[in-house]
């Protein structure tokens, strides 16, 4: 024999009636609203709203930012620099319409992202350069002359 007690969702232990086969309205509504949504409603939800992956590499002379953003055009990007904050964003709206004699089908698409990076003071803001090729956005952030690493130097002993 089990010592476990079946506790209703409202936490009440006073109802010990054996009417467990007939749920009350409160339990019935709880079951409806706590149930997971069917797959049909969630299958395409939030599709394509991920942030693109970024690689950042530092060399002696510059920082290189590479962002994977395939399927876009150069004109889809907005790159801004404000108070040493680099912002990279894109917004693409797509609308397709297909008409036949019996029906019209319209499809709308929208995707966007925005990535921001705090730049170090060593970046020369006047020489920043960006290129987009084969789905990769590349941004060169050159360092100021005084911030560049000098090559090793041998010091002669006198």
């Amino acid at each position: 024999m089990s010592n476990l007690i079946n506790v209703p969702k409202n936490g009440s232990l006073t109802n010990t009636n054996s009417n467990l086969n007939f749920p009350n309205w409160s339990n019935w509504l709880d079951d409806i609203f706590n149930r997971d949504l069917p797959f049909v409603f969630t299958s395409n939800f939030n599709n394509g709203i991920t942030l693109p992956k970024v690689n950042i590499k530092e060399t002696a002379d510059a920082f290189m930012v590479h962002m994977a953003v395939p399927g876009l055009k150069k004109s889809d990007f907005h790159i801004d620099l404000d108070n040493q904050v680099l912002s990279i964003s894109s917004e693409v709206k797509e609308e397709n319409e297909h008409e036949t004699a019996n029906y019209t089908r319209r499809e709308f698409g929208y995707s966007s992202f925005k990535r921001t990076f705090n730049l170090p003071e060593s970046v020369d803001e006047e020489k920043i350069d960006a290129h987009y090729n084969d789905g990769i956005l590349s941004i060169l952030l050159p360092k100021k002359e005084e911030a560049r690493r000098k090559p090793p130097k041998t010091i002669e002993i006198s």
Side-chain angles (χ1 to χ4, degrees):
M1 185 155 113
S2 174
N3 291 342
L4 297 176
I5 299 173
N6 193 4
V7 178
K9 288 188 178 181
N10 62 8
S12 169
L13 292 176
T14 58
N15 185 3
T16 57
N17 225 346
S18 63
N19 291 336
L20 296 177
N21 294 336
F22 302 104
N24 62 27
W25 280 105
S26 175
N27 287 345
W28 183 72
L29 288 173
D30 283 348
D31 286 344
I32 288 175
F33 289 111
N34 290 330
R35 196 175 290 152
D36 287 334
L37 289 174
F39 177 73
V40 141
F41 294 117
T42 60
S43 62
N44 289 322
F45 188 69
N46 257 356
N47 194 11
I49 306 179
T50 58
L51 289 176
K53 302 291 184 192
V54 175
N55 290 333
I56 301 174
K57 179 181 178 183
E58 181 179 8
T59 66
D61 298 329
F63 295 93
M64 286 294 302
V65 177
H66 298 285
M67 181 180 289
V69 281
L72 297 178
K73 298 179 297 224
K74 195 167 48 169
S75 60
D76 292 334
F77 295 102
H78 304 285
I79 303 173
D80 298 312
L81 182 64
D82 184 23
N83 200 22
Q84 290 184 284
V85 176
L86 180 70
S87 298
I88 305 166
S89 62
S90 176
E91 181 177 359
V92 179
K93 297 176 184 176
E94 197 174 319
E95 184 176 331
N96 295 323
E97 186 172 322
H98 179 73
E99 289 189 40
T100 63
N102 298 331
Y103 67 91
T104 299
R105 182 182 79 204
R106 289 185 180 161
E107 294 182 6
F108 301 94
Y110 177 83
S111 64
S112 69
F113 73 86
K114 183 173 185 177
R115 299 285 312 254
T116 59
F117 304 93
N118 291 322
L119 299 182
E121 290 183 20
S122 61
V123 171
D124 188 346
E125 296 177 2
E126 300 302 318
K127 295 182 181 177
I128 295 175
D129 190 31
H131 298 281
Y132 182 67
N133 190 21
D134 293 333
I136 304 293
L137 178 65
S138 300
I139 302 174
L140 175 67
L141 304 166
K143 292 181 181 178
K144 295 176 183 174
E145 189 62 41
E146 61 270 12
R148 293 182 182 182
R149 185 186 307 160
K150 307 291 186 242
K153 176 177 144 181
T154 304
I155 300 173
E156 297 292 325
I157 301 172
S158 55

